[in-house]
Amino acid sequence: MTSILARARLVIGALMLLFVIAMAPPVSAQQPTSVNPTASSVNEDKLLEQMKIISGRGTIPDAKSYNIEQPEGRNWEQFRRVNLPWFGAIIILGVLAVLVIFYLARGMVKIEGGRSGRTVIRFNEFERAVHWMTASCFVILAISGLNITFGRALLLPLLGLDAFSAVSQWGKYAHNYLSFPFTIGTVLIFLMWIGGNIPSKVDTEWLKRGGGMIGNDHPPAGHFNAGQKVIYWIVIIGGTAMAITGYLLMFPFYGTGIAGMQLAQIVHGLVAVLFVAAMLGHIYIGTIGMEGAFEGMGTGTVDVNWAKQHHSLWLEEQKAQASEGMSRSAAATAAE
Ligand code: HEM
């Protein structure tokens, strides 16, 4: 009798279990339908707004690594991934387009009346060595820097993962190490040409007459005209800004927090783009834009007619110094 009762209890229990399972709603139906699926991220956003920073716990000594999220991080990422590439592309391609249009419309500025065949010394060996050392560092810094901003979009699809990462790694080494000679070059340029680059009244007249780039006007200029003075100060101020922000990025968290690092990166990126655009203009004038200009930095001498046309006041100074030197040596010879 007891065993019959026990069996009946077992059967009833099993049937009840089956009934409960059969009546249970499917898993998906257990989710309350009124809940917004993005609610957790909304909460996270509110939390972030209130707390400004969301931090976890950690065991390593670097407490900065416990920060999980902060709104500034998102703004910075937006700048780095979207705003900077757009700004950079518009400025650099814009300047290139203007130069191409200018060249097609104006052509090379020729030496009027041709070359005289007589030359005058424009830059000594030290000046040229400093210029080309700084310029070659700048070109490699610019290309490797542009790769950081545009490489993933432009080069990665062309080169593939392995080649792109090798190129980028070498580019980064070059970028880090060449920053030192570039900084030294900027300091030397500052010291060796500051004398010729103080703004003066002559510059106002030169600027009013558009530097003689339009038409056949030749406003007088000293060793450096107003346009070159602008380039000089762009190099000095831009180079200093690039060096300070670059070293802050190269030696992270020495004297800066996260916000300081982000600001350094933003300034570094913006100044870099403007600097490259300005140097494109400089390279244009120094090569295909003006006949006879490259020689000054190439061989160190320029044609006298070129100097008369573009730096008449400087040529007068050179002539005066030469005749003063000649009369001094003549006087010395007569006294002997
Ligand atoms: C890479 C291509 C470059 C070329 C072909 C070039 C060419 C020249 C030439 C021909 C001059 C002498 C102009 C004259 O006799 O009046 C000059 C001057 C100068 N260069 Fe360059 N340069 C280049 C890159 C650079 C770079 C990258 C920098 C600095 C980052 C720079 C800074 C200067 C400065 C400060 C002057 C004196 C001011 C001036 O003439 O504008 N150059 N360059």
Side-chain angles (χ1 to χ4, degrees):
M1 185 66 194
T2 37
S3 75
I4 291 172
L5 271 176
R7 270 191 208 158
R9 241 185 270 141
L10 195 71
V11 170
I12 290 168
L15 284 173
M16 281 179 71
L17 187 67
L18 275 175
F19 178 75
V20 169
I21 292 171
M23 292 309 287
V27 177
S28 58
Q30 287 175 17
Q31 306 288 334
T33 48
S34 59
V35 173
N36 177 354
T38 58
S40 63
S41 63
V42 172
N43 286 342
E44 198 186 304
D45 244 12
K46 280 197 181 131
L47 192 65
L48 193 56
E49 257 170 43
Q50 280 165 15
M51 296 179 67
K52 294 297 171 214
I53 194 156
I54 297 179
S55 304
R57 281 193 210 138
T59 49
I60 60 170
D62 183 6
K64 289 186 296 299
S65 66
Y66 310 162
N67 295 342
I68 298 165
E69 272 186 72
Q70 54 174 342
E72 288 86 356
R74 292 181 186 180
N75 300 343
W76 172 73
E77 196 184 359
Q78 160 81 14
F79 169 81
R80 197 166 186 267
R81 284 184 177 250
V82 182
N83 303 1
L84 181 63
W86 273 104
F87 176 72
I90 290 169
I91 295 285
I92 292 174
L93 295 178
V95 167
L96 277 176
V98 168
L99 291 176
V100 169
I101 293 168
F102 188 77
Y103 182 71
L104 293 176
R106 173 73 166 87
M108 184 185 246
V109 177
K110 295 278 182 193
I111 301 177
E112 263 173 32
R115 289 168 188 273
S116 67
R118 284 175 297 130
T119 56
V120 50
I121 296 174
R122 180 118 176 101
F123 295 110
N124 65 30
E125 273 170 13
F126 180 73
E127 289 173 301
R128 283 180 283 140
V130 169
H131 174 269
W132 288 120
M133 191 261 298
T134 317
S136 33
C137 289
F138 180 91
V139 169
I140 299 171
L141 286 167
I143 293 172
S144 53
L146 290 175
N147 181 48
I148 298 173
T149 301
F150 296 104
R152 203 191 296 199
L154 299 182
L155 280 188
L156 178 59
L158 288 178
L159 299 181
L161 260 180
D162 288 345
F164 176 67
S165 54
V167 165
S168 301
Q169 190 181 3
W170 282 104
K172 185 70 187 102
Y173 288 145
H175 203 82
N176 283 1
Y177 288 109
L178 291 180
S179 66
F180 297 101
F182 175 74
T183 308
I184 295 170
T186 305
V187 173
L188 291 176
I189 285 181
F190 171 71
L191 295 174
M192 78 192 178
W193 289 334
I194 176 77
N197 280 288
I198 307 291
S200 70
K201 271 191 199 144
V202 179
D203 301 324
T204 324
E205 181 62 18
W206 190 91
L207 286 170
K208 268 192 207 150
R209 288 161 65 174
M213 284 306 276
I214 297 146
N216 285 328
D217 190 17
H218 303 305
H223 196 318
F224 295 114
N225 61 39
Q228 291 175 302
K229 288 182 185 179
V230 170
I231 289 291
Y232 172 87
W233 287 109
I234 286 176
V235 169
I236 301 308
I237 296 168
T240 307
M242 291 305 285
I244 293 173
T245 52
Y247 294 130
L248 285 175
L249 294 171
M250 205 189 292
F251 302 104
F253 302 114
Y254 282 90
T256 44
I258 296 258
M261 294 279 297
Q262 287 174 346
L263 183 65
Q265 195 272 333
I266 289 171
V267 173
H268 199 76
L270 290 177
V271 175
V273 163
L274 297 171
F275 206 169
V276 168
M279 283 302 119
L280 286 174
H282 171 73
I283 293 168
Y284 168 81
I285 288 285
T287 53
I288 57 169
M290 183 183 281
E291 184 186 8
F294 189 85
E295 297 153 25
M297 227 12 120
T299 61
T301 58
V302 286
D303 192 273
V304 167
N305 280 355
W306 179 90
K308 205 183 283 170
Q309 188 171 330
H310 299 292
H311 298 275
S312 53
L313 301 176
W314 171 74
L315 184 65
E316 291 309 316
E317 275 167 31
Q318 297 302 301
K319 281 184 184 164
Q321 276 174 17
S323 59
E324 201 180 299
M326 267 159 61
S327 51
R328 241 192 256 133
S329 66
T333 321
E336 274 168 14

